[in-house]
Amino acid sequence: MQNDPVLQILLRLQNGELSADAAANSIRSQISPVADLGFAQVDLERKTRCGFPEVIFCEGKTPAWVEGVARKLVDANQDCFGTRLNSEQADHIQKVFPQAEIDRVGRTFWLPVSSDREAPVGYVPVFTAGTGDIPVAYEAVNTLKALGIATEMIADVGVAGLHRILRYRENIKRAD
């Protein structure tokens, strides 16, 4: 118990070495699952608490910011998933995390901390009306996979004729 950091803070408070505010802040920093990087508040226990990893919305962030959040998650033994990745960010992530799976069409990256993945749960097919929707569809597919959901993309079912989507009735029936 002597090595317990919270107990040490309380003993310092009791001995008058810390104010109540300083002790409260110190205790919060000891038990908070959030890392304050100045430019981002990183949830270090999202996977444990919610069952799915923290997601980095990369749009508007510098490559260094994306790396900083990803590195903090990896250091906390948490999987990391990023969306809306631009080319400069993708090049940077690929350089600093060569093990990351980068999808340049879907503009995502997946950075698991281990190669062991739980079996997918449920099934969600992702349909596109045309080929112009494919980047967004890949983003959705990759997001579903990161969340542990079985998925597949079915492209270009169009809106020109009902017969094109009806070919996939079984996929729709299986969908959760």
Side-chain angles (χ1 to χ4, degrees):
M1 212 51 175
Q2 286 291 49
N3 291 331
D4 181 356
V6 174
L7 179 61
Q8 294 303 313
I9 293 166
L10 292 173
L11 288 172
R12 291 180 62 205
L13 173 65
Q14 184 179 33
N15 293 337
E17 299 170 28
L18 286 177
S19 70
D21 284 342
N25 288 334
S26 294
I27 289 172
R28 272 190 215 95
S29 72
Q30 292 293 323
I31 61 174
S32 176
V34 176
D36 182 352
L37 300 181
F39 57 86
Q41 303 293 317
V42 185
D43 186 343
L44 301 177
E45 293 181 353
R46 171 86 43 100
K47 174 85 175 183
T48 305
R49 196 178 60 258
C50 300
F52 53 87
E54 175 78 276
V55 178
I56 303 171
F57 183 71
C58 300
E59 195 169 290
K61 292 179 176 66
T62 69
W65 289 354
V66 175
E67 175 191 352
V69 174
R71 193 164 302 285
K72 190 55 84 171
L73 289 166
V74 169
D75 289 348
N77 204 34
Q78 294 284 308
D79 295 334
C80 178
F81 179 64
T83 65
R84 301 294 168 99
L85 192 68
N86 66 35
S87 293
E88 183 184 7
Q89 293 163 334
D91 292 342
H92 185 78
I93 291 298
Q94 198 157 48
K95 185 172 61 177
V96 296
F97 299 109
Q99 73 277 27
E101 299 169 23
I102 295 177
D103 180 341
R104 289 179 184 267
V105 174
R107 301 173 299 162
T108 63
F109 76 90
W110 172 243
L111 185 56
V113 291
S114 80
S115 58
D116 298 334
R117 289 192 80 170
E118 296 175 21
V121 177
Y123 169 69
V124 177
V126 175
F127 293 89
T128 74
T131 55
D133 302 330
I134 286 176
V136 172
Y138 274 128
E139 180 182 23
V141 164
N142 294 334
T143 301
L144 289 163
K145 287 179 182 177
L147 297 177
I149 300 168
T151 187
E152 68 179 314
M153 184 180 66
I154 300 166
D156 198 22
V157 297
V159 293
L162 191 57
H163 65 287
R164 289 172 70 178
I165 189 123
L166 290 179
R167 297 182 320 158
Y168 299 100
R169 276 186 294 253
E170 289 308 310
N171 300 78
I172 295 168
K173 284 181 188 176
R174 280 191 309 138
D176 294 303

